Structures are given as structure tokens and as C-alpha cells.
Amino acid sequence: MIGVKALISAAAMTLALQCGLTAGAYADADCVDVPGIEGEIDSFLDQAVAAQGAGQGTMPIDAVLFGVTDIGVEDRQELDARAKVELKRRTADGGDYTNRGPERITVEGIFAERETLFRLPKLILGRYRLNGQGATLAYDPEHTVEVGERVLGIPFFMEMGRMSVTREELAFYFAGNDGPEPDRCYKIK
């Protein structure tokens, strides 16, 4: 009889192979095209630059859920219960970001034509850095967002370490990946 640990290990391996959840899994040629989100990316980057210039600012949580569609009514209500994302300048090219909600939530939607789960803790914290190409968001390990998918009906999540956003590409680096190659890479079309 297969043990629970063996089943979970097999499911995690399947998820890793299916989704590229190993560090450095994507080369540039392996980036997935995500059409129709360039406006959302432009808006996010413009709002971040404006907040940095003003010393602080806010944006709705939807502004950082680029390209996520088909969010159900209950999940939408939980997102709407969260405060706006706050940005506060700390240095000439970066600062801190926070987002609070009444409780930890899991939001399900479609991203890059795949059913994707996003687990948002009660408090999200991190640092952002802006450059001429875009922004990098580094999550505080104790207050990070998790990205996941269902395998055999069981949700599996990976903690985000950082995210890079440019007008051409969106890259996810899961916790523990401190290298230059992202775990998931998306081309903005």
C-alpha cells in the first residue's frame, strides 16, 4: 500500500515536472506568451513610478494580479476586502510594499491559460526596486504570496521569493532560487 508521504512526493514531482517548479527551469526560449496584459503591466509600472516619485502611494490588489481572469464571485469578494497595496519610498530607486487583509485567502483564476491558485497571507510585505526596464519585488519570507496548481485535485503551492516585471517579460523566482534564471517566465504580448 502506498503511504501518504509517497503519494505526496509523487504528486509534488508531477507538479514540478508539469509546471517547471525547479529553480532555473526556464530558458528565455521557454517563456510562455501571455497576450493582452501589456496594459495591466504598463499601469502597474506607471503607478509604481508615480508612488516612488511622490514618496508613497497605493494601488488596488488587482494591479499586481496581472492577467488573472475568471476569478469567482467569492474570491473576488475576498480580494475586495483587502486594503490597497501601499508603497513607501526608502531609497532613490526603491522602497517597501505592504498589503493587508482580514485573513489569509486563496484565490483561483486563469493565468497564462492555466488554472492557477494564489494564496495571500493576512499581511504581505516586501521590498521593491525600480530600474529603467521595470521593477523587482522581493517578498519577505514570513509574509509571502504562494502560487499553486491542483494535481489530482490536491492544491500544491510554491512560495514566491521575488518577481521581476518589465514591459516585455514577467518572471517568477520561487523561494530558494537566488539565481538569474526564473522558475516561471512569461512574455508580455
Side-chain angles (χ1 to χ4, degrees):
M1 186 164 160
I2 297 176
V4 173
K5 286 184 180 181
L7 180 60
I8 290 173
S9 294
M13 179 61 83
T14 301
L15 178 64
L17 293 173
Q18 181 181 38
C19 304
L21 296 181
T22 56
Y26 282 97
D28 190 49
D30 294 328
C31 290
V32 175
D33 289 344
V34 182
I37 69 169
E38 58 274 333
E40 293 173 60
I41 297 289
D42 288 344
S43 177
F44 165 77
L45 291 172
D46 291 347
Q47 289 179 69
V49 168
Q52 179 70 8
Q56 64 182 5
T58 62
M59 64 179 72
I61 189 74
D62 286 351
V64 294
L65 287 174
F66 325 110
V68 180
T69 61
D70 296 338
I71 297 173
V73 173
E74 288 180 27
D75 288 352
R76 171 62 50 205
Q77 289 172 341
E78 290 180 332
L79 279 172
D80 291 344
R82 295 185 72 88
K84 289 187 174 188
V85 177
E86 297 177 17
L87 297 106
K88 291 186 182 175
R89 182 176 56 213
R90 184 184 243 312
T91 66
D93 66 350
D96 299 322
Y97 63 87
T98 61
N99 177 257
R100 299 176 196 287
E103 61 188 6
R104 182 173 88 161
I105 63 171
T106 299
V107 176
E108 186 170 342
I110 303 297
F111 177 74
E113 299 180 359
R114 293 180 75 133
E115 189 175 302
T116 307
L117 304 170
F118 298 89
R119 186 181 289 159
L120 286 63
K122 187 175 181 177
L123 174 62
I124 300 170
L125 293 175
R127 293 234 166 116
Y128 68 88
R129 189 171 128 306
L130 302 172
N131 60 41
Q133 280 67 49
T136 299
L137 292 89
Y139 291 89
D140 177 281
E142 299 297 317
H143 303 93
T144 188
V145 170
E146 296 172 88
V147 178
E149 292 184 0
R150 294 183 198 282
V151 176
L152 304 173
I154 302 169
F156 287 89
F157 291 90
M158 297 294 292
E159 290 183 353
M160 292 288 291
R162 69 186 193 279
M163 179 171 57
S164 172
V165 183
T166 70
R167 297 185 196 279
E168 294 82 32
E169 186 177 289
L170 176 62
F172 294 168
Y173 299 80
F174 295 126
N177 179 359
D178 296 324
E181 294 296 322
D183 296 297
R184 290 190 181 176
C185 176
Y186 304 96
K187 290 289 184 189
I188 310 307
K189 298 289 179 183

